[in-house]
Amino acid sequence: MKIKNIKSWVFLFFLLFLWYVPRNTAPGGFFENYILLRWSTYLIIPTVSIVFLYLRFYLKPKLKVPSIILPITAVLLIILLSGIINNSSLIAVLFTALTYLRYPLLFILLINLGIDDKVWNLFLKGFFLLLIIQIPEIAYRYFAMGIRWDGISLTMGPWGTFDLGVYMIYATALVAAKSLIVKLNKIHILLIASFFFIALVGEIKVYVFAAPLIAGVVILTHLKSNFLKKKTLITTAVLISILVIALIVIVEKYKKVFPEAIAGQRVMKMAVLQERPSLPGRVSSFIDIIETVQTDKLNFWIGWGPGSSLVGGFLVGEGKIFQFPIQHKNQLGETFVDIGLVGMIAYYWLLIWLFLMYLKHIETEKDIAYIVLNRALIGMWFFYAFLGPWYDLVWRHDSPNFIFYFLSAAVYTRYRKNKNESIAD
């Protein structure tokens, strides 16, 4: 078997592992008695990276180290500095560093391994297959067994619905990009309808409200250079109509699927409005933390130290943040608590590096498949960098991070190839 084929199947196996295993370590999952599997990537990724980089360096002594290493290094240094100043434990520093940087470091490994169109196409086929088989499973569990909410997917485990929501957002970005650039067909419409159905019965609100916005980002990105094309305008109108209709239907059907949730939300809403008139708890938690920092004079710039946002069971004690009465549920808040405002700026430097790379790539690209992937990644990036962190935890989920950085590495590999070919010409 060729090395390229081995790489393709290794990536698929890793996706399969991340898709099912970590979330099934939750209480009630298949692996609830094997809690260490939840943190397996903290060992697997560094180990595999060292082995592959050694082999790669042995075969070709010169490694490709892109300038993304600069923001990665900045984040690492801030984590170390915060840990020293706040007297954090070595374990907390190590696991915080791996939490934030294991997938960006994997990105560097992937571009050295080389990901061509055959490799990432096979990867996306596996991704869509795993996602599509969720549709009949969830339909059966809802209609035949009456199961809703977090337990809607047996195979993905009790904590799998959030990951599932991110997968569907990624898939929606890919479907929107392909519909605009290649052709909109019935399968695309059926997939989007199925995603909204899953979001309804699984109460995956992040998909219901984020998917139209992410698709909108993909549409706007494509319209920038194709506004006058009749096909583009028609496809855009159809996609927007589908997404708007689906959103309206879901909001209306929610009352019938979760009647008991409506009454509970009314009580919760009244409590939240008394405390904060305009923002729900998951969105306002970053603001709550800033207000607490100001009140308690905690370290605004470098955080309270690595591990301060962690819940127990992470090989470290419960984080310092939990001594304060705040609704701490979104990723911006966690990052701010761990490494402060300077750390957040460094991490967004990393994300902005990726965005600028997408823009450089599209200027050199003529292959339709890569153009589709590029446009879709911009939509994924918008969710990853802006929508997701405000709502809930995104950066610390295994498989969504792996998918995002894997596809980004494919685009970067192609960009470097295009650039080298243009120099040679």
Side-chain angles (χ1 to χ4, degrees):
M1 184 180 288
K2 295 181 179 179
I3 294 178
K4 184 184 295 185
N5 292 333
I6 293 175
K7 286 192 298 186
S8 300
W9 289 107
V10 167
F11 297 144
L12 276 179
F13 174 79
F14 197 46
L15 174 64
L16 185 68
F17 175 84
L18 292 178
W19 190 285
Y20 289 115
V21 174
R23 296 292 157 248
N24 267 294
T25 59
F30 296 128
F31 307 115
E32 66 173 314
N33 295 323
Y34 304 94
I35 192 68
L36 286 178
L37 288 174
R38 188 182 306 171
W39 318 116
S40 53
T41 56
Y42 289 71
L43 176 63
I44 292 174
I45 291 178
T47 302
V48 171
S49 297
I50 291 170
V51 171
F52 271 101
L53 286 175
Y54 172 78
L55 293 174
R56 170 69 171 74
F57 188 75
Y58 180 79
L59 295 173
K60 298 179 181 179
K62 187 177 180 180
L63 295 173
K64 301 172 187 175
V65 182
S67 56
I68 195 174
I69 194 66
L70 297 176
I72 288 175
T73 302
V75 174
L76 178 60
L77 290 175
I78 294 165
I79 290 172
L80 293 175
L81 178 63
S82 179
I84 293 171
I85 291 177
N86 289 286
N87 197 29
S88 302
S89 70
L90 179 61
I91 292 178
V93 171
L94 176 63
F95 273 86
T96 300
L98 288 173
T99 293
Y100 287 95
L101 298 177
R102 67 193 190 280
Y103 287 103
L105 289 171
L106 183 64
F107 171 88
I108 297 177
L109 167 66
L110 292 172
I111 66 173
N112 278 282
L113 293 176
I115 303 176
D116 60 20
D117 53 349
K118 292 182 180 179
V119 174
W120 67 259
N121 267 300
L122 179 61
F123 182 87
L124 279 184
K125 288 178 181 177
F127 166 73
F128 272 98
L129 176 62
L130 290 173
L131 188 53
I132 288 170
I133 61 178
Q134 286 296 309
I135 298 171
E137 177 189 347
I138 288 173
Y140 175 79
R141 286 173 65 78
Y142 175 68
F143 290 112
M145 303 175 67
I147 296 173
R148 307 165 297 162
W149 269 314
D150 291 343
I152 193 65
S153 171
L154 175 66
T155 54
M156 291 192 67
W159 289 354
T161 52
F162 181 82
D163 283 357
L164 188 55
V166 180
Y167 300 152
M168 295 191 299
I169 287 171
Y170 287 178
T172 299
L174 288 160
V175 167
K178 189 168 185 179
S179 299
L180 287 163
I181 297 167
V182 182
K183 182 182 180 181
L184 176 66
N185 58 45
K186 295 178 181 178
I187 294 178
H188 295 155
I189 297 173
L190 182 61
L191 272 177
I192 292 175
S194 298
F195 295 158
F196 273 98
F197 163 74
I198 292 173
L200 171 63
V201 299
E203 205 195 22
I204 308 175
K205 298 189 189 83
V206 67
Y207 178 82
V208 174
F209 295 104
L213 293 174
I214 300 307
V217 169
V218 175
I219 290 169
L220 288 174
T221 304
H222 183 66
L223 283 177
K224 182 179 178 182
S225 56
N226 298 272
F227 184 73
L228 297 178
K229 291 184 179 181
K230 182 179 178 181
K231 170 184 170 292
T232 300
L233 293 176
I234 293 174
T235 304
T236 297
V238 173
L239 281 174
I240 292 175
S241 299
I242 293 170
L243 291 166
V244 171
I245 292 171
L247 178 60
I248 294 171
V249 170
I250 293 299
V251 171
E252 180 60 31
K253 292 293 183 182
Y254 181 83
K255 300 174 184 178
K256 297 181 180 179
V257 176
F258 299 102
E260 70 278 24
I262 301 298
Q265 285 179 357
R266 287 172 184 162
V267 174
M268 186 181 300
K269 185 177 181 181
M270 291 301 295
V272 170
L273 286 175
Q274 290 175 1
E275 188 173 323
R276 183 176 301 282
S278 59
L279 295 172
R282 293 194 178 190
V283 176
S284 70
S285 62
F286 177 60
I287 299 172
D288 292 339
I289 290 171
I290 289 179
E291 290 179 350
T292 304
V293 168
Q294 293 173 343
T295 302
D296 295 274
K297 298 180 180 180
L298 297 172
N299 202 319
F300 181 87
W301 295 103
I302 60 168
W304 290 320
S308 294
S309 70
L310 301 176
V311 184
F314 192 73
L315 300 183
V316 295
E318 193 171 75
K320 299 176 184 176
I321 188 63
F322 295 96
Q323 63 184 288
F324 298 98
I326 60 176
Q327 298 172 349
H328 180 62
K329 292 183 179 179
N330 71 34
Q331 188 61 55
L332 282 177
E334 294 215 347
T335 305
F336 182 73
V337 165
D338 283 331
I339 51 180
L341 185 62
V342 176
M344 289 178 62
I345 293 171
Y347 199 93
Y348 271 88
W349 176 16
L350 189 158
L351 294 177
I352 290 170
W353 187 96
L354 289 172
F355 183 77
L356 294 177
M357 181 268 290
Y358 303 147
L359 298 183
K360 292 176 183 177
H361 164 250
I362 202 65
E363 293 176 355
T364 68
E365 193 55 70
K366 296 181 180 179
D367 187 293
I368 294 296
Y370 278 99
I371 294 174
V372 169
L373 181 58
N374 181 287
R375 299 304 193 194
L377 268 169
I378 289 177
M380 297 179 199
W381 181 91
F382 185 77
F383 172 78
Y384 190 84
F386 289 100
L387 294 185
W390 275 105
Y391 178 74
D392 213 323
L393 306 183
V394 174
W395 295 340
R396 297 185 179 183
H397 285 244
D398 277 337
S399 40
N401 259 357
F402 173 56
I403 294 164
F404 176 75
Y405 278 100
F406 179 89
L407 297 177
S408 294
V411 165
Y412 181 80
T413 302
R414 175 68 175 188
Y415 164 65
R416 293 294 302 175
K417 183 175 182 293
N418 292 345
K419 188 175 180 180
N420 292 336
E421 288 177 352
S422 66
I423 294 173
D425 293 340

